[in-house]
């Protein structure tokens, strides 16, 4: 029986989606613009990286060719040397939006039929009835923020007032999200989680996908910094996913990074949440070593998105991509005969784009393993083709969305 490894490079889009105009994202291209910036020297940072974007192992799997399928051009320095070694293509999201859960659920074979609810880009942004209920039920003196904002910037701006007043910082973005930032020590981490559970219930009538706890530490004098204790409170997927089918079949499941939060801890098996990309990937490969036949390891690598995309940090994003590429040989070495690995993404977050939100993009699909014949799989009309393909590989009955490509 076969095994599978599914790796989501959070936000590594490869060119605007066909409906990007509906999101103000025509021309967005996370990977392509990073590669162009690096080729021109705008991706250099002293002590971090310099020169063209170097992703030789991903390029060999077909990443540059997948990007060409989505955007019409191979990004600088990403053409493979010789024939590609993997099956490569690009996928279009059918669900509305450009948020993390919708992308991951569709990857797992569940495409949302209706869009999520969003808060308007006004100030205040939240309905007063929601705000007052949160204050009353959370036992709060009030809230700060109440607007669209980048997470790091709003903590810098309001962190000192939060510590002084005890009012949590509540904000949102273009995603379907209600975020609450609070100081781990002055406010309390468990108290923040409890408040987010209240907010989760209050946000359900508004069809808000996620409530996110954003803990931070530090002082106004020394600066504030977010910690690794972020926690997402997502609604459950409204239908069966690849994970549900694998669990029903008695298969071994290991979820690494944000996967447990994204799927509301349903059918996510053993959950591991190490933190940084490198630690998540190491944990996934360690789990793969002990994974029995028929099992699945599903890992999200979030640093591309949170540390670099939202912060519009081109050199940092480029360095993160190069760091992942350096681990690709380890991924290849960990695969046994019969194993299938898939590398993909859930949306874009172009660090050269205006604003700090995700971008509506197509994503790469790179499939490889000891028995996978290199080939072009072209444009996939849904991320769900990945779930359908993994189900077929694992011998799981499939009645979800998508069509297998191997």
């Amino acid at each position: 029986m076969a095994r599978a490894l599914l790796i989501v490079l959070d936000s590594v889009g490869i060119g605007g989606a066909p409906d990007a105009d509906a999101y103000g994202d025509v021309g967005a291209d996370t990977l392509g613009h990073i590669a162009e910036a690096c080729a021109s020297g705008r991706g250099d940072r002293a002590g971090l990286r310099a020169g063209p974007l170097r992703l030789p192992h991903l390029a060999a799997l077909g990443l540059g060719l997948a990007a060409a399928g989505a955007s019409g051009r191979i990004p600088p320095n990403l053409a493979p040397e010789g024939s590609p070694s993997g099956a490569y293509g690009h996928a279009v999201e059918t669900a509305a939006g450009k948020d993390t859960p919708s992308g991951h659920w569709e990857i797992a074979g569940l495409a949302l039929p209706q869009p999520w609810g969003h808060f308007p880009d006004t100030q205040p942004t939240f309905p007063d009835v929601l705000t007052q209920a949160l204050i009353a039920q959370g036992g709060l003196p009030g809230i700060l923020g109440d607007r669209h904002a980048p997470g790091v910037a709003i903590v810098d701006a309001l962190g000192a007032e939060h510590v002084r007043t005890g009012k949590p910082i509540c904000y949102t973005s273009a995603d379907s999200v209600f975020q609450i930032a609070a100081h781990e020590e002055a406010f309390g981490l468990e108290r923040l989680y409890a408040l987010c559970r209240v907010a989760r219930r209050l946000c359900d009538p508004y069809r808000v996908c996620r409530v996110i706890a954003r803990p931070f530490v530090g002082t106004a004098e020394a600066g504030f910094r977010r910690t690794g204790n972020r926690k997402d409170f997502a609604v459950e997927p409204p239908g069966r996913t690849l994970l549900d089918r694998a669990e029903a079949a008695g298969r071994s499941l290991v979820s690494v990074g944000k996967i447990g939060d994204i799927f509301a801890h349903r059918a996510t098996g053993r959950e591991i949440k190490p933190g940084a990309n490198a630690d998540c990937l190491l944990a996934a490969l360690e789990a793969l070593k002990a994974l029995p036949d028929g099992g699945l390891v599903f890992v999200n690598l979030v640093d591309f998105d949170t540390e670099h995309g939202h912060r519009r940090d081109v050199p940092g994003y480029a360095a993160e991509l190069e760091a992942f590429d350096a681990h690709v040989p380890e991924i290849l070495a960990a695969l046994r005969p019969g194993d299938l690995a898939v590398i993909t993404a859930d949306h874009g977050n172009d660090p050269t784009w205006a604003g700090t939100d995700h971008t509506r993009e197509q994503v790469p699909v790179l499939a490889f393993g000891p028995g996978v014949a290199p080939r072009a799989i072209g444009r996939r009309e849904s991320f769900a083709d990945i779930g359908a393909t993994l189900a077929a590989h694992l011998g799981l009955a499939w009645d979800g969305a998508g069509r297998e490509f191997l």
Side-chain angles (χ1 to χ4, degrees):
M1 193 182 291
R3 308 183 308 163
L5 171 65
L6 175 55
I7 302 172
V8 177
L9 309 183
D10 201 307
S11 86
V12 183
I14 57 172
D19 59 354
D21 58 334
Y23 298 85
D25 290 332
V26 172
D29 183 354
T30 300
L31 181 65
H33 287 160
I34 291 170
E36 290 170 356
C38 291
S40 69
R42 292 179 290 116
D44 294 356
R45 180 179 294 160
L48 181 66
R49 69 162 314 280
L53 185 63
R54 291 178 288 272
L55 307 177
H57 305 296
L58 288 169
L61 290 173
L63 178 60
L65 298 176
S71 68
R73 68 192 190 288
I74 298 178
N77 210 42
L78 292 188
E81 294 184 5
S83 300
S85 58
Y88 62 90
H90 53 106
V92 175
E93 185 172 10
T94 60
K98 45 185 177 179
D99 57 90
T100 293
S102 296
H104 280 75
W105 294 355
E106 188 164 327
I107 288 168
L110 178 64
L112 289 183
Q114 294 179 324
W116 292 111
H118 296 79
F119 296 111
D121 193 1
T122 57
Q123 195 169 341
T125 185
F126 303 122
D128 186 63
V129 64
L130 172 60
T131 300
Q132 295 306 317
L134 182 67
I135 291 170
Q137 296 180 33
L140 304 172
I143 68 169
L144 302 174
D146 200 355
R147 62 179 183 263
H148 281 233
V152 174
I154 200 167
V155 168
D156 287 343
L158 298 176
E161 186 178 356
H162 157 69
V163 172
R164 179 176 57 82
T165 64
K167 298 177 181 180
I169 303 166
C170 300
Y171 62 103
T172 188
S173 70
D175 288 343
S176 180
V177 65
F178 189 107
Q179 304 191 75
I180 307 178
H183 198 283
E184 283 195 2
E185 297 157 359
F187 190 87
L189 183 60
E190 292 304 321
R191 185 185 175 198
L192 172 59
Y193 291 161
L195 181 62
C196 285
R197 293 186 185 97
V198 172
R200 172 67 276 165
R201 176 170 46 80
L202 294 174
C203 285
D204 283 347
Y206 298 93
R207 285 189 50 80
V208 173
C209 180
R210 286 182 295 167
V211 172
I212 304 178
R214 292 285 196 177
F216 62 92
V217 295
T219 65
E221 295 74 23
F224 298 109
R225 62 175 180 82
R226 297 197 296 195
T227 74
N229 291 320
R230 163 185 169 161
K231 193 168 186 178
D232 292 30
F233 298 81
V235 299
E236 282 198 12
R240 297 178 71 212
T241 69
L242 173 68
L243 301 181
D244 293 308
R245 290 171 173 83
E247 181 183 70
R251 303 300 179 80
S252 179
L253 289 165
V254 182
S255 301
V256 185
K258 287 173 51 179
I259 299 301
D261 288 345
I262 292 168
F263 287 85
H265 309 284
R266 192 183 84 196
T268 46
R270 181 164 69 97
E271 294 186 10
I272 309 171
K273 200 170 183 180
N277 276 3
D279 296 328
C280 284
L281 184 58
L282 176 62
L285 295 181
E286 285 297 315
L288 188 63
K289 289 180 182 178
L291 190 72
D293 286 346
L296 170 67
V297 176
F298 191 175
V299 56
N300 170 280
L301 302 181
V302 73
D303 288 353
F304 300 108
D305 188 50
T306 59
E307 297 301 314
H308 311 297
H310 285 301
R311 300 186 186 199
R312 296 300 186 248
D313 176 9
V314 172
Y317 207 134
E320 200 74 60
L321 285 166
E322 291 170 338
F324 174 77
D325 185 83
H327 289 293
V328 170
E330 297 171 40
I331 299 171
L332 294 168
L335 300 177
R336 300 175 187 168
D339 286 352
L340 171 64
V342 176
I343 295 174
T344 188
D346 53 343
H347 50 71
N349 199 343
D350 189 338
T352 72
W353 209 243
T356 59
D357 294 321
H358 295 157
T359 42
R360 177 76 168 181
E361 295 185 45
Q362 299 175 68
V363 301
V365 181
L366 306 178
F368 54 98
V372 177
R375 73 194 81 168
I377 60 172
R379 170 170 150 166
R380 313 310 305 179
E381 297 302 328
S382 171
F383 291 4
D385 287 8
I386 297 167
T389 300
L390 290 169
H393 179 78
L394 295 173
L396 298 171
W398 188 255
D399 58 358
R403 299 171 55 192
E404 64 172 298
F405 51 72
L406 293 179

